């Protein structure tokens, strides 16, 4: 309960916004169009992925499994959150009357944290897979690569869900956010709110940083092999370059979309004096900033599928026909059959 003697449930913070202001901010047409574009983009990416998985190599099949998990996660995130937000914007229902027990608000908070962290964690997992595939090509059995990829995707989903359930166990709180159409973690000074906010922010930032580090090493390794002394005999395959280009695009999109929100959360919960008053109120400027950063972060779910769709060899060769005349290159993996053997 908030320290103002009111009868508000823990998920309802005092807000100073009128119905007319909510009508101006919460446009059902914009929210519906945004969700439809995102859902259509992810469905298109899933159909392209389904065709690409047929006849792909072991390393590429593993990478496509991660991509499938990422696109499926983005699709479900837009579908669930969009259904609630569009309904709220269209009807402008009183959340306190519809959800007096805060169950819908807590569910929405769990969904926001889960589908927010999953793309960042999957990006780090994909970067790790490509790093091992390029720098340690014989460290994993090829026959189990796809099965291991699905197991990693499942582990990422379980980790994000476990973190999202922490406020239900008493670590942090989910509260309604400005303008009253969504719920998210609380940017308050309570120890649980600070711990949960920092955990969410640091885990997301660590995933982005790890992706940047591993992708940089992988790209440097590809460039070294491509321009090294053995370049004529051992060039990266087109699919390996394609996978790294797609992974770099996913990393850039995640960084641009999510880092402003992650940094803002950490700064706000650590602010002294606290940004939130004892009654649970935030200044209008902070509430508007949070809403803007959240909307920027949601673009990640729309841009992810287009990174894969546009960064494919077929599309690039249509834009640059000269690339189609490039001679077929060999595998990045060393040719063991060419090594001399002892008599």
């Amino acid at each position: 309960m908030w320290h103002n003697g009111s009868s508000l449930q823990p998920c309802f913070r005092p807000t100073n916004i009128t119905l007319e202001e909510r009508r101006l901010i919460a446009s059902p047409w914009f929210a519906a169009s945004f969700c439809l574009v995102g859902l259509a983009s992810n469905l298109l990416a899933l159909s392209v992925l389904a065709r690409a998985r047929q006849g792909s190599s072991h390393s590429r099949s593993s990478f496509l499994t991660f991509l499938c998990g990422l696109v499926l996660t983005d699709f479900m995130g837009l579908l669930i959150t969009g259904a609630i937000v569009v309904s709220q914007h269209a009807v402008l229902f009183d959340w306190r009357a519809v959800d007096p027990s805060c169950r819908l608000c807590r569910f929405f908070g769990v969904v926001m944290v889960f589908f927010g962290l999953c793309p960042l964690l999957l990006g780090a997992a994909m970067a790790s897979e490509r790093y091992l595939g390029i720098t340690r090509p014989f460290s994993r059995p090829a026959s189990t690569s796809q099965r291991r990829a699905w197991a990693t995707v499942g582990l990422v989903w379980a980790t994000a869900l476990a973190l999202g359930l922490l406020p239900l166990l008493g670590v942090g709180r989910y509260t309604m956010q400005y303008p009253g159409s969504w719920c998210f973690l609380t940017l308050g000074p309570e120890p649980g709110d600070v711990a949960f906010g920092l955990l969410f922010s640091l885990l997301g930032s660590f995933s982005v940083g790890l992706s940047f580090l591993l992708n940089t090493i992988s790209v440097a390794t590809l460039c070294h092999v491509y321009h090294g002394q053995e370049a004529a005999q051992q060039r990266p395959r087109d699919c390996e370059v394609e996978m790294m280009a797609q992974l770099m695009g996913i990393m850039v999109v995640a960084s641009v979309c999510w880092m402003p929100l992650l940094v803002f959360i950490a700064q706000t919960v650590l602010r002294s004096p606290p940004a939130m008053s004892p009654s649970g109120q935030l200044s209008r400027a902070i509430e508007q900033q949070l809403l803007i950063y959240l909307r920027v972060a949601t673009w990640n779910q729309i841009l992810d599928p287009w990174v894969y769709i546009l960064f494919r060899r077929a599309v690039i060769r249509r834009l640059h026909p000269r690339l189609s005349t490039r001679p077929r290159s060999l595998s990045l993996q060393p040719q063991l059959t060419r090594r001399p053997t002892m008599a």
Side-chain angles (χ1 to χ4, degrees), residues 110-167:
V110 173
V111 166
M112 290 290 291
V113 170
F114 175 81
F115 289 109
L117 277 180
C118 274
L120 304 180
L121 295 175
L122 284 172
M126 294 166 67
S128 302
E129 189 274 339
R130 280 291 78 213
Y131 169 79
L132 293 175
I134 292 174
T135 63
R136 302 287 188 273
F138 298 107
S139 62
R140 301 162 302 159
S143 60
T144 61
S145 59
Q146 186 174 359
R147 184 169 53 192
R148 188 172 298 180
W150 276 119
T152 304
V153 172
L155 180 62
V156 167
W157 287 341
T159 301
L161 180 61
L163 185 69
L165 292 175
L166 285 180

Side-chain angles (χ1 to χ4, degrees), residues 17-311:
I17 182 171
T18 64
L19 183 60
E20 290 302 320
E21 288 177 317
R22 289 177 60 189
R23 292 183 186 276
L24 293 175
I25 298 172
S27 169
W29 301 111
F30 174 81
S33 302
F34 186 91
C35 290
L36 288 176
V37 171
L39 292 173
S41 300
N42 282 279
L43 282 176
L44 176 61
L46 284 173
S47 65
V48 175
L49 275 168
R51 292 194 299 268
R53 285 170 61 93
Q54 299 175 359
S56 59
S57 62
H58 288 297
S59 62
R60 181 163 172 77
S61 178
S62 177
F63 181 79
L64 292 178
T65 298
F66 282 109
L67 269 177
C68 185
L70 176 63
V71 174
L72 183 61
T73 301
D74 288 338
F75 176 83
M76 293 303 300
L78 281 170
L79 181 65
I80 296 175
T81 59
I84 299 176
V85 172
V86 172
S87 300
Q88 207 284 334
H89 286 182
V91 181
L92 289 177
F93 58 77
D94 184 357
W95 203 304
R96 294 175 177 83
V98 173
D99 183 35
S101 62
C102 292
R103 292 179 181 176
L104 179 61
C105 185
R106 293 190 183 109
F107 170 77
F108 197 98
V110 173
V111 166
M112 290 290 291
V113 170
F114 175 81
F115 289 109
L117 277 180
C118 274
L120 304 180
L121 295 175
L122 284 172
M126 294 166 67
S128 302
E129 189 274 339
R130 280 291 78 213
Y131 169 79
L132 293 175
I134 292 174
T135 63
R136 302 287 188 273
F138 298 107
S139 62
R140 301 162 302 159
S143 60
T144 61
S145 59
Q146 186 174 359
R147 184 169 53 192
R148 188 172 298 180
W150 276 119
T152 304
V153 172
L155 180 62
V156 167
W157 287 341
T159 301
L161 180 61
L163 185 69
L165 292 175
L166 285 180
L168 278 62
L169 302 176
V171 181
R173 292 171 293 178
Y174 290 126
T175 52
M176 183 179 297
Q177 307 294 332
Y178 175 88
S181 57
W182 59 295
C183 292
F184 196 47
L185 55 85
T186 305
L187 304 180
E190 298 293 330
D193 296 334
V194 174
F196 186 62
L198 287 178
L199 183 59
F200 177 83
S201 178
L202 294 178
L203 183 57
S205 300
F206 174 77
S207 299
V208 173
L210 181 63
S211 299
F212 178 82
L213 175 63
L214 296 180
N215 288 336
T216 301
I217 296 175
S218 298
V219 170
T221 303
L222 284 177
C223 292
H224 174 73
V225 172
Y226 193 88
H227 297 288
Q229 294 180 353
E230 299 180 356
Q233 294 81 23
Q234 189 179 315
R235 288 183 184 273
R237 290 177 296 179
D238 289 343
C239 67
E240 289 165 343
V241 178
E242 177 191 46
M243 286 187 287
M244 280 311 306
Q246 293 169 348
L247 192 50
M248 292 296 292
I250 291 172
M251 181 194 69
V252 171
V253 168
S255 301
V256 172
C257 292
W258 274 101
M259 285 308 298
L261 177 62
L262 296 175
V263 172
F264 176 76
I265 291 174
Q267 289 178 337
T268 304
V269 297
L270 292 177
R271 182 174 298 184
S272 182
M276 180 175 288
S277 67
S279 63
Q281 284 186 321
L282 291 169
S283 68
R284 180 59 59 88
I286 291 179
E287 289 181 329
Q288 290 176 342
Q289 280 183 285
L290 179 61
L291 180 62
I292 291 172
Y293 290 144
L294 186 279
R295 287 178 172 176
V296 172
T298 54
W299 275 98
N300 185 50
Q301 296 173 311
I302 291 181
L303 297 178
D304 270 346
W306 286 106
V307 169
Y308 170 70
I309 293 171
L310 298 178
F311 283 26

Side-chain angles (χ1 to χ4, degrees), residues 321-339:
R322 292 181 180 180
L323 296 179
S324 60
T325 61
R326 177 176 173 264
R328 184 176 295 274
S329 53
L330 301 177
S331 171
L332 179 65
Q333 299 181 359
Q335 303 295 324
L336 292 181
T337 57
R338 296 183 180 181
R339 291 184 177 178

